[in-house]
């Protein structure tokens, strides 16, 4: 028994001698005796120690034995400790009863038999010991149960962890792995032995490892949850993205006991994310540029290495397959791949050709040797292709709704990445977007060309008109509107036969070619809106109708007409005096004719006069041409109008026919005018000549000079043929002459009035005509006076 622990006994008595006596009696039991001198002291002792038995004196000052026992019984910790009451006085039954009801197990009266007391106490000690033993055994049993339970539950967790599709591991507080679940071994192909505590480091992709290790060190120090994305190597050597997460498990004290980690396969999610990001980035590229070749190159550059180790784009351009973009992670391989491409362009068997023909994608998750053999034409081709180290590839069409524009090919080599159906879907989307971008760029180009063409059409001087196959006007450029006088808004969308009267006949005269550039233009007169026009037009037949192009040649035509009229007139004008000269000369020279002196002189006079006429015609031609080229020189001086009129009329008087009377009226004291005297004489002389010439029936020709404010007006009036109002402006044009029917065939060059008006303009004056057909004409020349023109000086020469 000596190995058994000593138990406590509490002795409570207010009297020291009693305590001494009790100690003496109980000492032989060999237990630990603790004395208390009052109820309070006993209660205090009970707070700290456990007791096998209490010996409690009943009569005590303050708390007596019963009160103390009551309090002991109220406390959970002490309520089951046996109490033996000791008393010297209260032997009455009432007291004894009170003692038992207060929880006493015994009631002993003093003086007590030491033997009896000791044996009674010994019983309680024994009971205490047994109870303690029982409790200890109970605890042991419970502990064993708990351990077993924990083992079972750990086993269950392990089974659960093994059954999970996720990778699960546990690590000690330093982060060294203590457990991996089955999935880990399955996925990595590691064995329990090879995995060890750092097996994870062998599986993480070398590119991701440094960052993963750094993050782990951080979380081990901080105790935060560890979260990281990295690629884990699978047993077949490929890598898949995982999200690793480890949480610290803390003990009761709050310190980290161990870590539980999981790794979830987020590969597909990650790839989709990457693909989406790539699509987003390339979407921007594809959307912003209109140069699709540049764009496709940018796309292939972005694809490598984001989603491929190499990427190539082929386009069907005018029936020819052309590689337009190529990118490779290894720049050296680009040269190699290009050479390969040149040496062995895609043939009927190549994926590219097949994808273009069928419009369906091709995917080879794993490029096998058999595939390489099948896809190559000879040993060299096979060897070179093998050199590329192609592991996996896919080829998708660049398709728009009605056709395939080309292909995008993505391949992997160095990265060990394998394409799957998800990648294919993504690449197909890329293909669709790229195709749309190409189509947009092409449409834009067409639209741009059209816009340019339409700008050209807007600005060309030729009228361009499109009449569709139903005869409706679809295009009417500004020149067409200007030439025809029909406004765009009045003709567009309307049948041409309604818009242009007589279109049917006109269309017959305009040649229409089948091919652009082969047509020839036809010049034809047209009557449009009451105007006679000369139009040179041609047409080209297109799918959408006929395009007519035409130009207005009315003016050229009129000029042409005028020139030929002029040539005829001048020839005629020259021939008449020449014939007279020739006739006169021949007559003089005739040997058989004896000419009297008078006739001889007359003939010589004819020669002299007609030569003079010839000279004046030639002079007119020369002056007109000098005026055109700006070679006419002026000597502007102050001229006296009266002198001038007198001189001109005097000279003219010599030739005036008998039926014409020249009348002069010059206002006295006229101011001088500024002009070149010779040229002004030529102007007035010409007007007088015309007045005489166009009065075939004779009559009065009046030459007047009058003051008119700051100018002097010269007027030459006749009562001759007169000039229709519609022609009065035009007679001042070069070579313009009235219809010979109107002038009874009177000859002339059409230069006189032109020269006159040009000269007067240079003297800062003006010239015009008042006339009525058949009632004669009055030509006016108004010139500034010398004092007037000095105020407004003009150059003296032009
Ligand atoms: P031309 O040498 O033909 O006379 P002009 O320039 O002097 O050339 O005159 C142009 C045209 O004007 C003439 O052809 C004629 O028809 C008309 N004309 C000029 N002066 C007169 C006039 N006094 N009376 C009637 N017609 C005239």
């Amino acid at each position: 028994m000596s190995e058994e622990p000593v138990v406590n006994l509490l002795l409570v008595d207010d009297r020291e001698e009693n305590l001494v006596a009790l100690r003496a009696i109980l000492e032989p039991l060999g237990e630990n005796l603790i004395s208390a001198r009052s109820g309070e002291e006993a209660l205090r002792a009970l707070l700290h120690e456990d007791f096998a038995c209490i010996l409690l004196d009943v009569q005590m000052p303050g708390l007596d034995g019963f009160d103390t026992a009551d309090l002991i019984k109220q406390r959970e910790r002490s309520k089951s400790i046996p109490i033996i009451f000791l008393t010297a006085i209260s032997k009455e039954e009432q007291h004894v009863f009170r003692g038992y009801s207060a929880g006493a197990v015994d009631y002993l009266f003093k003086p007590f038999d030491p033997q009896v007391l000791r044996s009674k106490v010994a019983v309680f000690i024994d009971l205490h010991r047994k109870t303690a033993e029982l409790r200890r055994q109970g605890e042991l049993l419970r502990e064993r149960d708990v351990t077993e339970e924990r083992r079972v539950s750990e086993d269950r967790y392990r089974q659960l962890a093994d059954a999970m599709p996720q990778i699960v591991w546990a690590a000690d507080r330093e982060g060294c792995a203590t457990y991996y679940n089955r999935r880990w071994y399955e996925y990595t192909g590691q064995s329990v032995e090879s995995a060890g505590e750092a097996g994870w480091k062998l599986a993480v992709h070398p590119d991701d490892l440094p960052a993963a290790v750094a993050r782990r060190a951080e979380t081990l120090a901080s105790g935060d949850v560890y979260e990281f994305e990295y690629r884990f190597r699978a047993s077949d050597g490929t890598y898949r993205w995982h999200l690793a997460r480890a949480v610290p498990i803390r003990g009761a004290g709050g310190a980290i006991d161990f870590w539980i980690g999981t790794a979830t396969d987020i590969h597909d999610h990650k790839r989709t994310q990457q693909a989406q990001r790539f699509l987003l980035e390339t979407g921007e590229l594809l959307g912003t540029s209109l140069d699709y070749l540049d764009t496709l190159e940018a796309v292939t550059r972005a694809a490598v290495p984001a989603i491929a180790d190499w990427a190539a784009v082929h386009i069907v351009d005018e029936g020819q397959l052309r590689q337009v973009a190529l990118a490779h992670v290894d720049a050296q391989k680009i040269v190699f791949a290009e050479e390969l491409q040149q040496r062995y362009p895609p043939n009927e068997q190549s994926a590219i050709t097949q994808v273009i023909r069928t419009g369906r994608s091709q995917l080879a998750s794993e490029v096998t040797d058999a595939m390489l053999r099948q896809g190559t034409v000879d040993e060299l081709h096979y060897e070179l292709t093998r050199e590329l180290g192609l592991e996996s590839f896919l080829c998708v069409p660049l398709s728009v709704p009605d056709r395939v524009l080309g292909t995008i090919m993505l391949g992997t080599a160095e990265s060990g990445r394998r394409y799957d159906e998800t990648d294919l879907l993504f690449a197909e989307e890329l293909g669709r977007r790229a195709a749309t971008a190409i189509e947009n760029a092409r449409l834009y180009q067409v639209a741009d060309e059209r816009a340019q063409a339409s700008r050209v059409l807007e600005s060309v001087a030729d009228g361009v008109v499109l009449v569709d196959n139903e005869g409706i006007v679809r295009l009417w450029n500004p020149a067409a509107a200007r030439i025809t006088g029909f406004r765009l808004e009045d003709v567009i969308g309307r049948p041409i036969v309604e818009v242009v009267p007589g279109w049917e006949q006109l269309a017959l005269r305009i040649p229409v070619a089948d091919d652009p550039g082969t047509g020839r233009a036809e010049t034809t007169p047209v009557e449009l809106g009451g105007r006679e026009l000369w139009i040179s037009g041609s047409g080209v037949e297109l799918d959408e109708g006929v395009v007519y192009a035409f130009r207005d040649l009315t003016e050229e035509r009129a000029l042409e007409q005028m020139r030929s009229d002029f040539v005829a007139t001048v020839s005629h004008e020259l021939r008449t005096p020449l014939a007279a000269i020739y006739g006169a000369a021949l007559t003089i020279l005739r040997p058989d004719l004896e000419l009297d002196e008078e006739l001889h002189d007359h003939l010589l006079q004819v020669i002299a006069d007609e030569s003079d006429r010839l000279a004046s015609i030639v002079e007119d031609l020369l002056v007109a041409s000098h005026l055109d080229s700006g070679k006419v020189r002026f000597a502007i001086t102050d001229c006296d109008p009266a002198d001038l009129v007198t001189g001109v009329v005097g000279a003219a008087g010599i030739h005036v026919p008998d039926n014409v009377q020249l009348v002069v009226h010059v206002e006295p004291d006229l101011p001088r005018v500024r002009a070149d005297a010779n040229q002004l004489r030529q102007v007035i002389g010409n007007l007088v000549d015309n007045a005489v010439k166009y009065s075939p029936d004779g009559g009065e020709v009046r030459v007047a000079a009058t003051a008119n404010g700051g100018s002097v007006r010269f007027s030459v009036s006749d009562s001759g043929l007169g000039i229709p109002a519609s022609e009065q402006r035009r007679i001042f044009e070069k070579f313009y002459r009235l219809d010979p029917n109107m002038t009874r065939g009177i000859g002339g060059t059409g230069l006189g009035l032109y020269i006159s008006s040009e000269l007067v303009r240079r003297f800062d004056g003006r010239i015009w005509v008042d006339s009525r057909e058949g009632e004669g004409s009055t030509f006016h020349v108004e010139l500034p006076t010398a004092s007037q023109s000095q105020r407004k000086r003009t150059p003296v020469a032009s």
Side-chain angles (χ1 to χ4, degrees), residues 37-64:
R37 279 164 197 82
S38 66
E40 289 84 352
E41 205 178 316
L43 288 171
R44 255 196 311 278
L46 278 161
L47 281 179
H48 304 296
E49 302 289 344
D50 188 22
F51 292 90
C53 177
I54 303 167
L55 291 120
L56 186 57
D57 181 25
V58 176
Q59 285 86 23
M60 285 190 295
L63 279 178
D64 67 6

Side-chain angles (χ1 to χ4, degrees), residues 46 89 146 153 196 203 205 218 254 315 438 457 472 481 505 522 568 608 631 662 693 716 720 747 767 773:
L46 278 161
I89 319 153
V146 166
S153 102
H205 193 288
E218 271 169 38
I315 292 280
I438 295 173
L457 280 184
I472 306 293
Q505 286 74 36
E522 190 68 47
K631 281 193 199 147
L662 277 176
K693 194 161 75 168
V716 180
I767 181 168
E773 202 178 347

Side-chain angles (χ1 to χ4, degrees), residues 690 693-694 718 723 731 736-738 748-750 752-753 777 779:
N690 277 353
K693 194 161 75 168
Y694 295 105
D718 63 65
I723 303 156
I731 53 172
Y736 194 81
R737 309 195 70 240
L738 291 194
T749 56
L753 287 179
S777 320
F779 283 84

Side-chain angles (χ1 to χ4, degrees), residues 757-771:
S757 71
E758 285 297 304
L759 293 176
V760 168
R761 194 167 60 80
R762 283 165 171 79
F763 305 152
D764 290 337
R766 60 188 194 104
I767 181 168
W768 72 100
V769 64
D770 288 328
S771 178

Side-chain angles (χ1 to χ4, degrees), residues 292 400 402-403 405 434-445:
Y292 70 88
V400 286
D402 55 341
R403 74 215 136 93
L405 308 177
T436 313
I438 295 173
E439 194 69 343
N440 281 349
R442 283 184 176 171
L443 285 176
Y444 175 81
Q445 211 174 332

